[in-house]
Amino acid sequence: EDQVTQSPEALRLQEGESSSLNCSYTVSGLRGLFWYRQDPGKGPEFLFTLYSAGEEKEKERLKATLTKKESFLHITAPKPEDSATYLCAVYTGANSKLTFGKGITLSVRP
Amino acid sequence: GAGVSQSPSNKVTEKGKDVELRCDPISGHTALYWYRQSLGQGLEFLIYFQGNSAPDKSGLPSDRFSAERTGGSVSTLTIQRTQQEDSAVYLCASSAGPGDEQYFGPGTRLTVT
């Protein structure tokens, strides 16, 4: 069974304090790893897709990286508006579904 | 362009009643998914449609849950004889095809009293 574990469960940062969010996975045949951002009361918002180990993608203050066992979402000099829950999900092609982790709740203090 | 829309945004129902939740996917997206998100839990996959057919119903928690999709577009998730444990946010997503990034709607918050 595919498993996705995100850590830490919650992270509190000071504005400008860079950090990384971890997503570890155990799957049989990864075909894609997805990162989403979810604000309270809203649906997840797509951020990145990574397909192979070594791949990196960037968007503003966010950079996502992928290895054979885990993915990191690096946040550089975060701002309060980056506060949200960040979800990662894996796609293996089986049944076309995404298997999600439980998410990391990020709080950035001004 | 228009994103995924869901209705109603909130639904309060009494235990034992039936409810219908609606999803309008992004125009042209052939794949449609239903997920459930409970407090403190991750997103739980319910069902996947490719066109009008549902090749994967493995996530439906019981036979009280059913879903259909008509015209390759709108989908309805029906929960019969609702139970308190059905209380959750029900999220719909669509993608251009299987394996492509999924775009989510705002969800329907279901409360069973």
Side-chain angles (χ1 to χ4, degrees):
Chain A
E1 184 178 336
D2 300 338
Q3 290 192 344
V4 180
T5 303
Q6 293 189 250
S7 61
E9 290 186 9
L11 182 63
R12 298 185 68 182
L13 299 174
Q14 196 70 35
E15 183 172 4
E17 179 187 1
S18 300
S19 188
S20 296
L21 312 180
N22 177 263
C23 171
S24 299
Y25 60 89
T26 305
V27 301
S28 53
L30 180 74
R31 293 176 61 178
L33 185 139
F34 297 78
W35 280 98
Y36 286 84
R37 167 190 172 129
Q38 187 173 27
D39 292 297
K42 297 188 177 182
E45 173 189 349
F46 171 73
L47 293 174
F48 303 108
T49 311
L50 301 167
Y51 294 102
S52 58
E55 188 175 1
E56 298 182 353
K57 287 193 177 173
E58 289 188 63
K59 179 181 179 181
E60 296 179 355
R61 295 177 293 282
L62 300 176
K63 183 168 91 172
T65 62
L66 181 65
T67 73
K68 290 186 178 180
K69 294 184 178 180
E70 58 192 347
S71 176
F72 291 94
L73 185 65
H74 307 277
I75 302 178
T76 302
K79 298 182 177 182
E81 53 262 41
D82 294 323
S83 297
T85 296
Y86 291 85
L87 303 167
C88 77
V90 296
Y91 173 71
T92 62
N95 306 323
S96 295
K97 69 176 183 179
L98 295 181
T99 300
F100 281 84
K102 292 187 177 182
I104 297 170
T105 300
L106 174 66
S107 175
V108 182
R109 302 187 300 274
Chain B
V4 178
S5 61
Q6 293 185 246
S7 61
S9 55
N10 282 284
K11 178 71 176 179
V12 180
T13 190
E14 292 180 353
K15 177 181 172 182
K17 300 282 190 184
D18 298 351
V19 296
E20 282 190 355
L21 312 180
R22 176 187 168 106
C23 172
D24 280 274
I26 292 173
S27 178
H29 279 190
T30 62
L32 185 148
Y33 312 80
W34 284 96
Y35 294 87
R36 179 167 72 174
Q37 188 172 35
S38 304
L39 196 63
Q41 301 297 315
L43 273 77
E44 173 191 5
F45 169 78
L46 298 178
I47 190 169
Y48 153 65
F49 287 92
Q50 178 59 38
N52 288 337
S53 65
D56 185 9
K57 303 179 181 180
S58 64
L60 295 178
S62 76
D63 58 7
R64 296 186 296 105
F65 288 72
S66 63
E68 65 176 14
R69 188 180 186 193
T70 56
S73 181
V74 172
S75 176
T76 302
L77 177 68
T78 301
I79 309 173
Q80 295 179 310
R81 305 180 303 282
T82 52
Q83 303 295 312
Q84 287 188 329
E85 60 262 30
D86 299 334
S87 296
V89 176
Y90 289 82
L91 290 159
C92 174
S94 70
S95 66
D100 293 325
E101 58 266 22
Q102 297 179 18
Y103 294 90
F104 284 80
T108 294
R109 180 174 296 278
L110 175 65
T111 303
V112 182
T113 61

